[in-house]
Amino acid sequence: MSDSPSSDSARNVVIVGSGPAGLTAALYAARADLEPLVIEGQAAGGQLMQTTEVENFPGFPDGRMGPELMMDFRKQAEKFGTEFLTRDVDEVVLTDGSPFTLTVGSEEILAKTVIISTGATARWLELENEQRLIGKGVSACATCDGFFFRDRELLVVGGGDSAMEEATFLTKFASKVTVVHRRDELRASKIMQDRAFANDKIDFLWNTEVVDVLGEDQLTGVVLSDTTTGETREHATDGLFLAIGHDPTSALFLGQVDTDEDGYILVEEPTTATNIPGVFAAGDITDRIYRQAISAAGQGCKAAMDAERWLEAQH
Ligand code: NAP
């Protein structure tokens, strides 16, 4: 690991972010002899660092712990010559064209191409006990964790498409799913609402918020509050799934590269090219739908290949 990579000449590829997308881009760029630099951020590794068992990453029939899987991604990228900088990027200038400038502390790094893979973060209720019990009954990913809740009674918080999708998905495993929504009408699209209303394993608790999460080492229940009367009560549950939205980690890039109204970076699918030639984006920073480690890794691979082709075309 380096704290101060040489910045006297422009790097071929600088990758910002070190989740599955960034580290897969690094692996492919390193194997193409592009000597990539990954600015991995102080919270390196992405969302899998906060998960426990990952059972849906192909190639690991017995599952892997999320942090271990990410350490292996990193080792594999490093083995082929990826350099890492464990710092946060303070500023980027992309609009002046290649070479691009990335500022890290007092250092300026020049890059012929940039791959943005800073991911997204699930929104949480920001309750102290909720954070303590993540992976112990509390989750923000039904696709990842639903399987562990066979024949259990679960709560899903939220009223948007994600909440309806996750609640519907969870009924494959759970005996009962209760959607807890803070208002008396859903934000979700009609078709997703209809699907959830038609599912007899799904119940709704309207005008209700989760105000505390209960359990020592494992979730046992929550405290619910009625948003109209303010009354609170305890409610036992085996699993609490948050589906209150995600935020792309794109603040650094706003105004530098085209994004949608929520800050997701726009790419020219099926490539990973952004509107700035030489700047590519991969993973959850571009993806509000799939948000899986494997889909992010696939996009990271595409971004490295796109960057390689772009560099070749410049010569
Ligand atoms: P969303 O549409 O922003 O909905 C978030 C929901 O969580 C809202 O119902 C909101 O309540 C609730 N919420 C937010 N903060 C909360 C808090 N602190 N406490 C309690 N509840 C809270 O997010 P999303 O459902 O993740 O969807 C994001 C985008 O992706 C949407 O455009 C959606 O259409 C799209 N999407 C599409 C699909 C699909 O088509 N298959 C699947 C998933 C997502 P309020 O309603 O009161 O604001």
Side-chain angles (χ1 to χ4, degrees):
M1 193 180 302
S2 153
D3 267 346
S4 56
S6 147
S7 56
D8 47 0
S9 62
R11 316 271 320 203
N12 288 317
V13 183
V14 173
I15 298 162
V16 187
S18 55
L23 294 178
T24 304
L27 171 64
Y28 273 75
R31 286 178 50 80
D33 268 348
L34 294 173
E35 300 172 330
L37 169 69
V38 175
I39 307 179
E40 62 182 348
Q42 294 193 32
Q47 293 179 72
L48 283 194
M49 297 301 279
Q50 285 170 19
T51 56
T52 50
E53 187 102 37
V54 180
E55 288 190 325
N56 57 3
F57 200 89
F60 298 97
D62 300 324
R64 290 296 305 279
M65 297 305 278
E68 281 174 20
L69 184 62
M70 292 323 297
M71 285 318 291
D72 280 352
F73 265 67
R74 192 180 186 283
K75 258 191 233 158
Q76 198 174 353
E78 197 167 31
K79 176 175 157 188
F80 294 101
T82 301
E83 224 182 305
F84 288 89
L85 180 58
T86 313
R87 303 271 303 273
D88 291 330
V89 176
D90 296 307
E91 198 186 345
V92 294
V93 180
L94 306 177
T95 44
D96 295 344
S98 176
F100 308 103
T101 310
L102 299 98
T103 307
V104 178
S106 58
E107 187 175 5
E108 282 200 338
I109 297 168
L110 294 178
K112 293 178 194 165
T113 65
V114 172
I115 296 174
I116 303 169
S117 51
T118 43
T121 46
R123 287 189 205 138
W124 298 95
L125 297 170
E126 302 302 340
L127 302 170
E128 198 181 318
N129 289 327
E130 165 205 50
Q131 295 295 303
R132 189 172 55 77
L133 291 170
I134 291 173
K136 297 169 185 160
V138 177
S139 169
C141 180
T143 314
C144 319
D145 299 329
F147 188 78
F148 302 115
F149 292 87
R150 208 168 276 282
D151 299 325
R152 304 291 178 85
E153 295 202 359
L154 309 177
L155 296 184
V156 171
V157 181
D161 280 337
S162 294
M164 296 310 107
E165 192 170 67
E166 305 235 324
T168 306
F169 175 79
L170 287 169
T171 59
K172 287 177 196 236
F173 312 103
S175 52
K176 182 178 166 196
V177 177
T178 304
V179 174
V180 179
H181 185 38
R182 62 186 177 183
R183 293 187 295 135
D184 64 357
E185 64 179 339
L186 296 171
R187 178 180 296 279
S189 56
K190 173 118 183 19
I191 185 168
M192 304 285 276
Q193 294 195 21
D194 289 347
R195 204 170 291 159
F197 288 144
N199 188 323
D200 53 16
K201 278 193 182 176
I202 300 180
D203 273 350
F204 289 82
L205 279 176
W206 303 105
N207 297 315
T208 305
E209 276 179 328
V210 172
V211 291
D212 200 1
V213 176
L214 307 173
E216 280 303 315
D217 301 323
Q218 189 68 32
L219 173 80
T220 55
V222 295
V223 178
L224 299 175
S225 167
D226 184 316
T227 56
T228 50
T229 63
E231 272 172 39
T232 60
R233 64 190 166 92
E234 290 192 8
H235 180 105
T237 189
D238 301 310
L240 174 67
F241 286 81
L242 285 310
I244 58 174
H246 282 74
D247 294 310
T249 316
S250 59
L252 193 60
F253 305 100
L254 297 180
Q256 295 287 324
V257 65
D258 283 354
T259 63
D260 69 11
E261 67 282 4
D262 294 324
Y264 286 91
I265 293 179
L266 297 171
V267 292
E268 289 165 25
E269 285 175 348
T271 77
T272 60
T274 68
N275 64 309
I276 306 282
V279 178
F280 304 90
D284 286 10
I285 190 74
T286 71
D287 175 13
R288 60 163 80 239
I289 299 175
Y290 303 103
R291 299 190 191 116
Q292 300 301 299
I294 186 68
S295 54
Q299 238 188 334
C301 157
K302 285 164 60 170
M305 294 174 77
D306 288 340
E308 185 188 1
R309 283 181 194 157
W310 189 86
L311 285 166
E312 265 168 24
Q314 303 310 299
H315 295 147

